[in-house]
Amino acid sequence: MMTTATLDALGLGLVMPVLPTLLSGLVAPRSVPLQVGVLTALYAVMQFLFAPVLGAISDRFGRRPVLLVSLAGATADYLVLALSPVLGVLYLGRAVAGITGATTAVAGSAIADVSGEDERARRFGMLGACYGIGMVAGPILGGVLGGLSPHAPFLAAAGLNGLNLLVGALLLRETRVPLPRAEREPFRLAALNPVGSLGWVRMVPGLLALLAVFGLVQLIGQIPGSMWVLFTEHRFGWDPLTVGLSLAAFGTVHALTQALVTGPLVARLGERRALALGMCADAVGFLALSIAASGWLVLPILLPLALGGVAAPALQALLSTAVGDDRQGRLQGVLASLNSVSGIVGPLAFTALYSATIHVGDGWVWVCGAALYVLCVPALRRSRRLPVKAPARLTRETEPSID
């Protein structure tokens, strides 16, 4: 599963650097930035819509078949994108890529299936690190291949997804243990509705509050990705090479911290205290960036920012213990949807905030990000109502079902 996650993120990152070049041959030059923005948003929207659906289907029919079908679809999709010169096909391809890329919910569910409660934070941290490494290496490799041809990264992405499919078919075992038919909950039509399927969340005391914390953490996490280039070029006068190296360093340190620090920290402090520590460390890093006067200060600031990376896997582990095994797919689908929403809203909101406050000071966006963590405090207090042990299943739903 970790190999699958790394290859999946690597394939996605490969195509990012060449989208503008590919579009420049299909639309007028002045339309390229808008088209890039729309295609990026389209991918996130499709993930938002389909992550809960794939998660719910995997709850009923298993993780392995959903993952393999998605990988097969992604392989075919990237091949079509590499060979087609039509803008409409590019849009259709990005939509399909968003659907097949919604397998983060399935991967998270598989981790929850095979991990005890004391192991989940560590393994979720490793899963996050795998995605992080793929997203760091992917754009670098995509930039190199893009120098040969704007179509080459798409062919490479198709190859990686094909390899991913082969690895999964040979090595990936089913992690979801099916219930006996007599105990199996009917598959409900509402599970295919990405909004309507959220009704079950209200039935677990405190879960909605903890999901609100997750949404805020993911939203705040969009600030470095959205603002790093703009901020460092303006504040420190960095050139593109320096910015790229700093981003690679940030991604690497962040991934290593998630993989190596999350498990021991959660084992020592517990999920809630590790979550609080991660949020505090991230806020300290944001405030330090807001007042940093020299570029070299970014290097030590990377440490609290990296420690902030333990918050997400600790929170994901805490959430996964709140629901029964038969709802892990739906829960991970909700988390993936929240992540997608933050990926749509966050860059728009924070770049707008930066533009509105830059005449006052270019560090205010980091101050506002740190302040948003304060909103997590009341939600975390409400989430203490979560049951100590997850209910085996929820039985008060009344949606139409098909057996």
Side-chain angles (χ1 to χ4, degrees):
M1 185 56 67
M2 301 300 177
T3 303
T4 298
T6 304
L7 292 175
D8 189 33
L10 189 64
L12 174 62
L14 271 169
V15 305
M16 293 170 60
V18 297
L19 267 182
T21 303
L22 192 65
L23 285 166
S24 65
L26 302 175
V27 300
R30 66 175 182 272
S31 301
V32 169
L34 175 62
Q35 298 290 345
V36 170
V38 173
L39 284 168
T40 302
L42 176 62
Y43 184 93
V45 168
M46 299 308 288
Q47 281 204 321
F48 163 72
L49 293 175
F50 282 91
V53 174
L54 294 185
I57 292 174
S58 76
D59 277 339
R60 180 57 185 268
F61 301 105
R63 320 298 186 202
R64 187 174 185 273
V66 174
L67 191 61
L68 294 181
V69 169
S70 296
L71 290 173
T75 302
D77 178 55
Y78 281 120
L79 280 174
V80 171
L81 289 176
L83 302 175
S84 175
V86 181
L87 181 63
V89 174
L90 187 60
Y91 269 88
L92 178 61
R94 290 308 288 169
V96 173
I99 296 172
T100 58
T103 51
T104 52
V106 184
S109 304
I111 294 296
D113 290 339
V114 300
S115 305
E117 292 184 11
D118 57 339
E119 297 179 311
R120 287 181 180 176
R122 178 178 64 85
R123 290 184 175 175
F124 282 134
M126 293 180 65
L127 184 65
C130 288
Y131 280 113
I133 291 171
M135 290 304 294
V136 169
I140 296 173
L141 183 57
V144 173
L145 293 174
L148 303 175
S149 165
H151 300 281
F154 288 91
L155 291 171
L160 283 173
N161 275 277
L163 176 62
N164 209 351
L165 175 62
L166 180 62
V167 170
L170 294 177
L171 301 180
L172 183 63
R173 294 182 296 176
E174 179 56 59
T175 61
R176 175 78 176 95
V177 179
L179 293 171
R181 185 173 179 82
E183 301 179 21
R184 192 179 301 169
E185 184 179 354
F187 187 76
R188 302 184 182 278
L189 293 175
L192 302 181
N193 180 344
V195 177
S197 65
L198 299 181
W200 67 273
V201 169
R202 300 192 303 269
M203 299 168 59
V204 181
L207 182 59
L208 192 59
L210 208 55
L211 286 173
V213 175
F214 183 87
L216 278 170
V217 168
Q218 294 300 318
L219 181 66
I220 297 166
Q222 296 297 318
I223 299 179
S226 321
M227 300 308 311
W228 195 270
V229 176
L230 294 172
F231 174 76
T232 55
E233 287 182 348
H234 183 269
R235 173 72 68 89
F236 308 124
W238 285 358
D239 57 28
L241 176 59
T242 306
V243 172
L245 290 173
S246 68
L247 278 171
F250 175 75
T252 302
V253 174
H254 195 273
L256 288 174
T257 302
Q258 283 193 318
L260 302 178
V261 176
T262 300
L265 195 64
V266 169
R268 185 175 182 84
L269 301 179
E271 286 92 347
R272 287 185 178 273
R273 290 178 179 174
L275 169 60
L277 177 62
M279 292 192 297
C280 290
D282 212 31
V284 168
F286 281 14
L287 293 174
L289 276 176
S290 72
I291 61 174
S294 300
W296 67 268
L297 290 171
V298 172
L299 189 60
I301 292 173
L302 288 179
L303 297 179
L305 291 177
L307 186 57
V310 306
L315 181 53
Q316 197 171 358
L318 189 61
L319 281 159
S320 72
T321 63
V323 301
D325 293 340
D326 60 333
R327 295 301 175 109
Q328 289 296 330
R330 288 197 185 187
L331 172 65
Q332 300 300 328
V334 172
L335 301 186
S337 285
L338 289 173
N339 189 30
S340 297
V341 170
S342 70
I344 299 169
V345 175
L348 295 174
F350 294 124
T351 52
L353 176 62
Y354 181 75
S355 298
T357 59
I358 192 171
H359 65 284
V360 179
D362 60 359
W364 277 105
V365 67
W366 301 104
V367 176
C368 291
L372 283 175
Y373 277 119
V374 177
L375 299 179
C376 296
V377 175
L380 281 173
R381 290 186 175 182
R382 288 181 61 86
S383 72
R384 290 184 180 277
R385 298 167 55 205
L386 279 169
V388 176
K389 292 289 184 182
R393 61 191 299 169
L394 301 172
T395 58
R396 290 188 290 170
E397 292 183 326
T398 58
E399 305 99 322
S401 63
I402 49 176
D403 199 350

